[in-house]
Structure formats: C-alpha cells, structure tokens
Amino acid sequence: VDFLRGLFSSALGLGSSEKVLDELSLEGVARYINSGKCKNIICMVGAGISTSAGIPDFRSPETGLYANLQKYNLPYPEAIFQIDYFKKHPEPFFALARELYPGQFKPTICHYFIKMLKDKGVLRRCYTQNIDTLERVAGLEGDDLIEAHGTFYTSHCVKFLCKKEYNLDWMKEKIFSDEIPKCEKCSSLVKPDIVFFGENLPTRFFTSMKMDFPRCDLLIVMGTSLQVQPFASLPLQLERFICFCLQADPMLGLLGFGGGMDFDSDKAYRDVAQISTCDDGCLALADLLGWKAELEELVKKEHTRIDSEDKQEGPGGSKGAAAKGASASAEPKSKAEE
C-alpha cells in the first residue's frame, strides 16, 4: 500500500514540492551537504560505478557483458543468469565467474567517495545492484550495504532441504580448479548468493527500505539507469535527491530514465543531474565539498595497499583484496520483475 501510495503521489504530482536546494545544480547539492542539515544520505548504485575498474556493464552494445557471451553457446544472453537454466547447465555461469573473478579489480573513485560519506558520518546506507562487492573492498561493512541483487561473498546449496552455506574462499577454490561446486553434505549444486532471474530479492532489501527511505534527506544515484524493478521504484518515495549519470546524455530525463525524476521541466524543484562519468561526478562534488584532496589521497593509499597485499599472496592468492570482493556487476531480475 505504501509503495502504491508513493507511486501515485509521484505520478500525479500529489507529493510535497518543498524546495530544499537553493539551486538545482551540483553547487546547490554541495552547499546542502555542507550546511549540516543533510545527515542521512542514501546511495543507489549500479554497474556504471565499476566500469572504470575494468568490469563490464551488461547492456552496452559492443562492450557489455551480454554482447560478449557467444562462446558459451547460450540460447539467449540472459540465460547465463536464469535459475532454471543454471540448474541444468551450470558450466557457462562458472566459466564466466572464473573469467571475471576478483584479483584483477580495485574499487573506483565512486566506491571511495561512498566510503568518505560514511567516514564523514552522513551515509545512512548504500543500495547496490552490483555483485562485485567492491563496496566491501573499499571499506563499507555489511550494515552499510544492501546488496539488492545478492553477492559472491557467500554461497549456498540450491537444495531446499539443505541450504548449507559456503564462504568466498571455498567457492573460489572450486571455480579455479575447474570444478562445478557441489555440496559436501548432499552433492547438489552450490550457487553464489547472487539473485538470478526468477529468484526473489533478499528480504533485507525490503525491510531496510521501509526504515531507510522515510529518513533519507538526500539520495545519490550513480551508475544505474533505474530500469530494473523493484530497485528502480525506490526514488518514488523521496522528496529530494541528486542523480549522477554515467551516460553523457543531456536528454536522459526525457528518454525514459527511471525513478520518476524531473531535471528540467517548469515544475522541477528537487532533482539534479550531473552529466559526466561517475568518477568525474564524484570528483567534482568532492571538490565543491572541499574533500577532493582527501578523496584522491584515500584512493591512492588504498590502491597501494591492495597491490601490496596481492603481491604478498602471489598469483591465485585469496587473502588480499580479492577475498573481499567478487566479480561482475549484476543486473538479474527478481520474480517481482517478471
């Protein structure tokens, strides 16, 4: 009921039109954050924040993941994340997981900007569509995150009456030994805890949403076009937010960008679009906040630490940064989307 009320209120223009920002610009957002009135920021992020780390997004025509799956002989690209197909043919998924597994990716400027929001005491939560767990590598902890489409961080047996849990190191060992992971208890398949097509989103997504969004005073959207439900509907409940867009397209708001945003109509009062890459947008906002030097130093220090840990472990090691993250930003759908 609350969701439908928010949907109709947004669609019909029945919600509050209080103007919080003194200017609908990046500068206005920075002044709002620095004013001390902005204490509960929620970040919503998608595959676009990880592309500069070398992880492909899903839908780009030539470079996206779905455009480069021919070698797996799938009936259709999305089948690699379809739960029924996976149970019958798990080989393509685990071959892809081996190709994109951690050890070769480091968090981006975006990931560390979110970590800075936490360090500054203004991050309420980060809602991510990604399964690469780079948010964790950057320093966010479990309570800071809602991994809406699941994670490689843990895995479970797919058998309903078993559901034995396995950790990241166990799954990585199986994948890199070219084994199809099988449960040690019942011999059924073991699947990473990512949300495949045909599966429900984690319960924590819905329970946290009800607690977080009524308290949110600024929503930052980065690296997602908000086309995938139910994730895309979250902004409908809010009065104000800024959106960072990976696509450098000033017509974005007119061409179906999700979330009920209004960037440039006569009635616009809350939404701000930064037309740039996600990393450039975060650097620009950090600069206006007076945080840029601190952010750049954090990125440099953390990347040096990750490189050092990886060298100590050597090829195939699993205790460094790779052990904290897993690969490929994911965009599978839940049952609610079908």
Side-chain angles (χ1 to χ4, degrees):
V1 173
D2 289 339
F3 169 77
L4 290 175
R5 184 181 297 116
L7 179 63
F8 286 125
S9 293
S10 176
L12 298 176
L14 300 177
S16 167
S17 58
E18 174 193 359
K19 188 172 182 179
V20 175
L21 302 180
D22 59 23
E23 179 184 344
L24 295 181
S25 67
L26 197 62
E27 290 78 4
V29 172
R31 286 192 291 271
Y32 176 50
I33 294 174
N34 276 335
S35 72
K37 299 176 182 178
C38 184
K39 299 179 180 178
N40 289 283
I41 297 177
I42 293 178
C43 293
M44 290 177 61
V45 301
I49 75 165
S50 295
T51 54
S52 64
I55 302 175
D57 65 11
F58 274 70
R59 304 182 187 279
S60 293
E62 296 182 4
T63 60
L65 188 61
Y66 287 151
N68 291 278
L69 296 176
Q70 298 89 341
K71 60 186 174 183
Y72 298 117
N73 297 315
L74 300 166
Y76 49 93
E78 292 84 355
I80 203 163
F81 293 115
Q82 214 283 331
I83 188 61
D84 292 335
Y85 185 86
F86 170 80
K87 288 179 178 179
K88 296 176 182 177
H89 308 284
E91 297 84 3
F93 170 79
F94 287 114
L96 177 66
R98 184 167 58 251
E99 182 179 330
L100 295 174
Y101 220 75
Q104 47 195 329
F105 308 117
K106 294 192 283 284
T108 66
I109 290 170
C110 262
H111 293 99
Y112 289 114
F113 179 79
I114 298 169
K115 174 61 163 57
M116 282 194 69
L117 292 176
K118 175 187 175 180
D119 293 343
K120 302 291 184 182
V122 294
L123 179 71
R124 181 167 185 88
R125 207 91 65 191
C126 176
Y127 284 69
T128 179
Q129 291 176 290
N130 300 339
I131 58 169
D132 54 37
T133 64
L134 287 181
E135 297 91 357
R136 291 177 182 264
V137 181
L140 296 186
E141 299 176 354
D143 191 54
D144 303 318
L145 285 168
I146 302 296
E147 291 160 317
H149 291 165
T151 177
F152 263 91
Y153 204 65
T154 55
S155 301
H156 283 83
C157 173
V158 300
K159 187 175 181 180
F160 180 75
L161 296 177
C162 179
K163 297 294 183 181
K164 180 175 172 62
E165 180 174 317
Y166 297 89
N167 63 25
L168 179 63
D169 286 344
W170 183 93
M171 177 58 72
K172 183 173 183 178
E173 180 182 352
K174 298 297 182 185
I175 288 176
F176 280 91
S177 62
D178 289 332
E179 293 182 43
I180 299 300
K182 295 291 183 71
C183 181
E184 296 171 353
K185 182 178 179 181
C186 73
S187 299
S188 297
L189 278 172
V190 176
K191 182 182 80 67
D193 291 342
I194 65 172
V195 180
F196 275 47
F197 290 93
E199 294 187 301
N200 290 317
L201 267 64
T203 301
R204 186 164 173 259
F205 171 83
F206 298 100
T207 56
S208 297
M209 174 187 71
K210 293 178 181 178
M211 293 186 298
D212 289 341
F213 278 79
R215 296 173 174 84
C216 177
D217 45 31
L218 181 67
L219 176 65
I220 300 177
V221 182
M222 297 183 282
T224 172
S225 58
L226 294 180
Q227 297 297 319
V228 179
Q229 297 292 352
F231 194 87
S233 299
L234 295 181
L236 294 172
Q237 306 177 52
L238 297 177
E239 295 303 325
R240 49 198 179 264
F241 56 86
I242 175 176
C243 171
F244 283 137
C245 308
L246 180 64
Q247 302 93 329
D249 185 354
M251 297 295 288
L252 201 60
L254 301 176
L255 297 177
F257 193 80
M261 301 176 189
D262 180 4
F263 298 125
D264 52 12
S265 81
D266 292 338
K267 296 181 180 179
Y269 69 94
R270 65 173 195 178
D271 305 340
V272 177
Q274 174 71 11
I275 307 301
S276 69
T277 67
C278 295
D279 286 347
D280 287 348
C282 285
L283 280 173
L285 181 55
D287 191 24
L288 291 169
L289 290 167
W291 302 353
K292 185 178 180 181
E294 186 179 354
L295 176 58
E296 291 175 332
E297 179 61 27
L298 176 63
V299 173
K300 180 180 178 181
K301 181 185 73 173
E302 287 299 302
H303 281 189
T304 299
R305 177 187 63 80
I306 291 169
D307 288 339
S308 175
E309 290 179 359
D310 288 344
K311 285 180 182 178
Q312 290 175 12
E313 283 300 315
S318 61
K319 299 299 182 184
K324 300 177 184 176
S327 87
S329 306
E331 212 176 78
K333 299 177 183 176
S334 69
K335 285 181 179 177
E337 301 171 67
E338 296 181 331

